Amino acid sequence: WKKLYLAHHWPVTVCKMSANDCQDPPEYWTIHGLWPDKGEDCNRTWHFNVTEIKDLMSDMRQYWPDVLHSSLNRTHFWKHEWEKHGTCAATLEILNSQKKYFGKALELYQRVDLNSCLLKAGIKPSSSYYQMTTIKEALTSFYGVTPKIQCLPPEEGEKAQTIGQIEFCFTKELQLRNCTALKGELDPVQADLKLGTEELSVCSDTLPTYYPSQVQ
């Protein structure tokens, strides 16, 4: 693989996509995962062991919660992320254990600090719409790179898309880079966030964009 995606999702939108027991989703962007752009070297026999990340638990619960299953034993989401993505990322020495993988993802999340960037740009959850170009320009000018922004397309009768996920790309040296594919690079597997029949796709620049403050 060539690059890593640090995916943040907006809990309110994740809840909107799902009929699950979303109880009071966090009102800040949380981690969805840290994904290599291709998953071909994964070690399926390397099972998740929650005791390896016990030192990270309070941060994991706060910044990487299982938004959809707030009441269940919460480690299932992390297990999925480790087995699907972490075991591939582990070909890199700085990510080659569960503690390093989850710890580094938390570190990158703090470094990017998406929540405060959006607030500084005056972009906050609201019942009025935003232009996608406004959000993109704010992020690009703040970070100096182009992130990948995913939305829930308008439902029937809606005219606006709903922002759902913002992904930042990193090199193997963990430096920010553009998410657009460079020459000779394949565009990665689409995000695996499929809930029921609805799924996120890259946001349209022309549709008004909803950044919801609570689950409707």
Side-chain angles (χ1 to χ4, degrees):
W1 51 272
K2 298 279 196 299
K3 61 177 182 273
L4 283 165
Y5 285 81
L6 177 68
H8 301 68
H9 54 193
W10 182 241
V12 175
T13 303
V14 177
C15 290
K16 180 182 175 180
M17 292 169 69
S18 155
N20 267 315
D21 62 337
C22 274
Q23 312 281 318
D24 306 320
E27 289 174 22
Y28 50 89
W29 289 82
T30 60
I31 300 173
H32 181 179
L34 184 64
W35 306 332
D37 58 1
K38 286 201 282 295
E40 74 278 338
D41 294 320
C42 310
N43 179 353
R44 295 283 173 217
T45 60
W46 191 349
H47 294 301
F48 177 69
N49 175 0
V50 76
T51 57
E52 290 193 29
I53 57 167
K54 60 180 187 301
D55 306 354
L56 303 173
M57 267 338 230
S58 63
D59 282 353
M60 291 291 290
R61 289 203 175 101
Q62 188 173 353
Y63 304 122
W64 200 331
D66 185 340
V67 173
L68 291 180
H69 309 96
S70 45
S71 54
L72 296 173
N73 170 359
R74 305 166 185 228
T75 61
H76 186 79
F77 179 40
W78 304 332
K79 176 180 188 290
H80 166 82
E81 290 297 314
W82 167 253
E83 289 174 0
K84 179 159 186 186
H85 304 287
T87 57
C88 307
T91 54
L92 212 57
E93 194 180 327
I94 41 173
L95 301 172
N96 68 2
S97 70
Q98 290 173 44
K99 184 160 186 188
K100 286 183 186 175
Y101 172 74
F102 288 104
K104 194 53 82 175
L106 288 164
E107 232 175 85
L108 293 175
Y109 171 84
Q110 302 287 8
R111 194 204 304 175
V112 166
D113 200 2
L114 175 61
N115 291 293
S116 69
C117 161
L118 288 170
L119 283 174
K120 281 182 189 137
I123 297 167
K124 39 190 186 286
S126 158
S127 51
S128 49
Y129 299 123
Y130 286 95
Q131 293 301 321
M132 180 46 60
T133 46
T134 308
I135 296 175
K136 268 190 183 159
E137 279 161 16
L139 293 171
T140 305
S141 69
F142 195 84
Y143 294 106
V145 292
T146 312
K148 180 176 174 186
I149 308 176
Q150 305 226 62
C151 289
L152 195 55
E155 286 170 19
E156 249 175 272
E158 282 187 330
K159 67 176 187 339
Q161 59 191 350
T162 306
I163 194 164
Q165 188 150 288
I166 297 179
E167 299 167 27
F168 288 90
C169 290
F170 289 87
T171 64
K172 288 187 168 181
E173 295 71 45
L174 303 186
Q175 298 304 313
L176 274 170
R177 54 156 286 181
N178 289 330
C179 282
T180 42
L182 299 171
K183 269 208 303 271
E185 269 186 0
L186 293 168
D187 217 34
V189 204
Q190 274 302 308
D192 58 348
L193 187 62
K194 246 195 166 136
L195 302 165
T197 52
E198 302 186 64
E199 57 187 302
L200 296 171
S201 52
V202 173
C203 303
S204 152
D205 280 349
T206 53
L207 287 174
T209 304
Y210 191 39
Y211 180 11
S213 55
Q214 67 253 328
V215 184
Q216 297 300 318

